[in-house]
């Protein structure tokens, strides 16, 4: 779940070269958020959805079994949708809305849904701890994470 050392250096260099935000993709897990020189680095937003629910792969298809196995690990079925307000070219307000992937079964299997209560808070608490590793202060207000650089 953590980026390799070279990725952190690379993302800092990308911001230093003028990018306003870096979003890492690839790992199917949520990771921390860093603010580098006032610019955002999302070390991984995980997966927003798994497109297997609408298709019938059958019970023995390896692709479906693999996706279902991954979703039994809570971290692979959780993410956030960030909403960022910019002012004068800098992020002023970041709101993080938790999302959980429905593990199924049924027609909404592998689709995103809005978690509530304990699950929403757990996602945000995990993200808060991971972001603290990068010096980012994430505050939780109900079921929304807040970062105000």
């Amino acid at each position: 779940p953590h980026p390799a050392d070279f990725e952190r250096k690379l993302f800092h260099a990308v911001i230093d070269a003028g990018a306003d935000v870096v979003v890492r993709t690839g790992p199917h897990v949520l990771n921390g958020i860093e603010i580098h020189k006032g610019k955002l680095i999302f070390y991984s937003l995980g997966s927003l959805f798994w497109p297997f629910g609408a298709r019938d792969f059958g019970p023995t298809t390896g692709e479906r079994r693999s996706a279902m196995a991954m979703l039994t690990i809570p971290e692979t079925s959780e993410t956030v949708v960030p909403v960022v307000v910019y002012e004068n070219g800098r992020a002023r307000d970041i709101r993080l809305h938790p999302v959980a992937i429905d593990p199924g079964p049924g027609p909404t299997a592998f689709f995103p849904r809005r978690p509530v209560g304990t699950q929403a808070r757990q996602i945000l608490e995990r993200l808060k701890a991971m972001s603290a590793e990068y010096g980012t202060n994430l505050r939780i207000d109900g079921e929304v994470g807040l970062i105000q650089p």
Side-chain angles (χ1 to χ4, degrees):
H2 288 86
D5 289 339
F6 83 88
E7 288 177 302
R8 188 165 188 210
K9 292 175 188 172
L10 172 64
F11 299 157
H12 283 196
V14 169
I15 294 290
D16 295 345
D20 290 322
V21 64
V22 173
V23 179
R24 176 176 175 236
T25 62
H28 294 289
V29 292
L30 185 61
N31 203 296
I33 300 166
E34 181 177 10
I35 300 170
H36 176 69
K37 296 184 178 176
K39 308 293 177 137
L40 292 166
I41 300 173
F42 293 96
Y43 279 101
S44 178
L45 290 178
S47 298
L48 183 58
F49 65 93
W50 295 75
F52 304 117
R55 301 186 322 212
D56 183 9
F57 288 115
T60 60
T61 301
E63 193 175 53
R64 184 174 180 88
R65 277 196 314 270
S66 175
M68 291 174 73
M70 284 190 74
L71 288 178
T72 62
I73 304 165
E75 291 81 4
T76 62
S77 62
E78 300 172 345
T79 188
V80 295
V81 172
V83 177
V84 183
V85 175
Y86 283 88
E87 186 175 274
N88 298 323
R90 288 181 135 12
R92 178 179 53 91
D93 184 64
I94 301 121
R95 294 182 180 275
L96 305 158
H97 301 273
V99 174
I101 309 300
D102 186 351
T108 61
F110 307 106
F111 286 17
R113 64 174 171 74
R114 182 178 165 262
V116 294
T118 302
Q119 186 181 24
R121 184 144 188 106
Q122 286 173 340
I123 293 168
L124 293 170
E125 289 288 352
R126 195 170 7 265
L127 182 59
K128 178 179 181 175
M130 290 184 289
S131 298
E133 294 176 25
Y134 302 109
T136 302
N137 182 25
L138 190 155
R139 188 169 52 88
I140 299 172
D141 183 13
E143 295 176 353
V144 176
L146 304 168
I147 299 172
Q148 295 171 314

